[in-house]
Amino acid sequence: ETGRRLLIAGNWKMNGLRASSQALARAIVEGAKALPASVELAVFPPFTLTAEIGALLTDSPVRLGAQDCRSEKSGAFTGDIAAPMLADLGVTHVILGHSERRRYHDETDQIISAKAEAALEAGLVPVLCIGETAEERDSGRAYETLSNQIARGVPAGFRGVIAYEPVWAIGTGRTASSDDIAQTTAHIRDSLAAHLQTGDNLPPILYGGSVTARDAASILAIETVGGVLVGGASLKADSFLAIAQGA
Ligand code: PEP
């Protein structure tokens, strides 16, 4: 135990109807009781479930997250959700710039930076995702890609969390190796320090990409890793809690 706090974040993506999601949240709340205070759990249900999952998390240390927000506070943006609306429901964390948002909603680093500013202004903790594609990695441009995403997508004065999610590892069952994660998160840390012009109080860096209970402990033992962002394995309470137990 290094005294680090670790965040175990469950991104439910576009999954879950009311009954099964409530059962999942209840089981996570129950399992969280056995975890040390240094381990923080957060769940990120789809917007349709934010309020009712939030109600189940009241009086629990499990944090309530959302999967996106818009940068404006209100207005004529049909179908979008603003950061103050999330804060109003007790949301504390918001995922921004997930590779699926970048891909399917054409989100750019500039858009993501503006969303992060809006989230911070609303009192939310942005969990800002960065990550290289397989092609960028194979052509030796992974670090350059990550540095560019940081330079363009992380606003000045950023106080949040960065999630390193290599696109080739998300939902593929191809977890990055511990060596890769250690080296890449060290690069990200240096890049954040240069960009934010601060040596201390750097944002924690999560790893995400096919994390399972099998590899969670070795990933969470890496000094530059501040937790994990979990997709598929967060949809079952047992596997999500087993990942947290690896912390
Ligand atoms: C994610 O989408 O944030 C993620 C890490 O997914 P998975 O764990 O399923 O790879």
Side-chain angles (χ1 to χ4, degrees), residues 10-13 15 24 170-171 209-212 229-237 239-240 243:
N11 174 14
W12 294 1
K13 309 195 186 191
N15 292 294
L24 173 59
I170 298 177
S210 296
V211 174
T212 65
L229 179 51
V230 185
S234 74
L235 293 172
K236 289 213 171 78
S239 51
F240 187 57
I243 288 168

Side-chain angles (χ1 to χ4, degrees), residues 51-215:
E52 63 189 75
I53 297 299
L56 291 176
L57 302 184
T58 315
D59 302 325
S60 145
V62 179
R63 302 302 199 128
L64 179 64
Q67 300 174 18
D68 179 44
C69 71
R70 196 173 169 99
S71 56
E72 291 84 353
K73 288 194 183 74
S74 64
F77 302 105
T78 302
D80 285 343
I81 303 288
M85 296 172 173
L86 299 173
D88 191 36
L89 293 180
V91 168
T92 56
H93 291 66
V94 60
I95 295 172
L96 296 175
H98 191 281
S99 66
E100 290 150 17
R101 301 284 318 174
R102 293 178 187 258
R103 178 166 177 202
Y104 301 124
H105 293 267
D106 297 324
E107 290 194 9
T108 62
D109 290 314
Q110 286 75 14
I111 290 171
I112 293 157
S113 175
K115 289 183 174 196
E117 287 183 327
L120 288 166
E121 201 185 326
L124 303 176
V125 178
V127 179
L128 196 155
C129 302
I130 59 175
E132 82 283 2
T133 62
E135 190 197 347
E136 286 160 342
R137 180 187 168 82
D138 294 343
S139 60
R141 289 181 290 121
Y143 284 9
E144 181 193 332
T145 300
L146 295 165
S147 293
N148 284 338
Q149 288 174 340
I150 288 167
R152 298 171 187 152
V154 177
F158 181 77
R159 293 159 283 109
V161 174
I162 298 293
Y164 168 51
E165 298 211 307
V167 178
W168 49 270
I170 298 177
T172 58
R174 279 182 67 202
T175 319
S177 71
S178 288
D179 279 352
D180 264 348
I181 296 171
Q183 284 162 22
T184 310
T185 50
H187 167 79
I188 290 169
R189 187 195 49 195
D190 293 347
S191 191
L192 283 169
H195 174 62
L196 295 172
Q197 298 189 337
T198 169
D200 36 51
N201 263 325
L202 283 171
I205 304 165
L206 312 185
Y207 168 76
S210 296
V211 174
T212 65
R214 204 154 43 90
D215 44 36

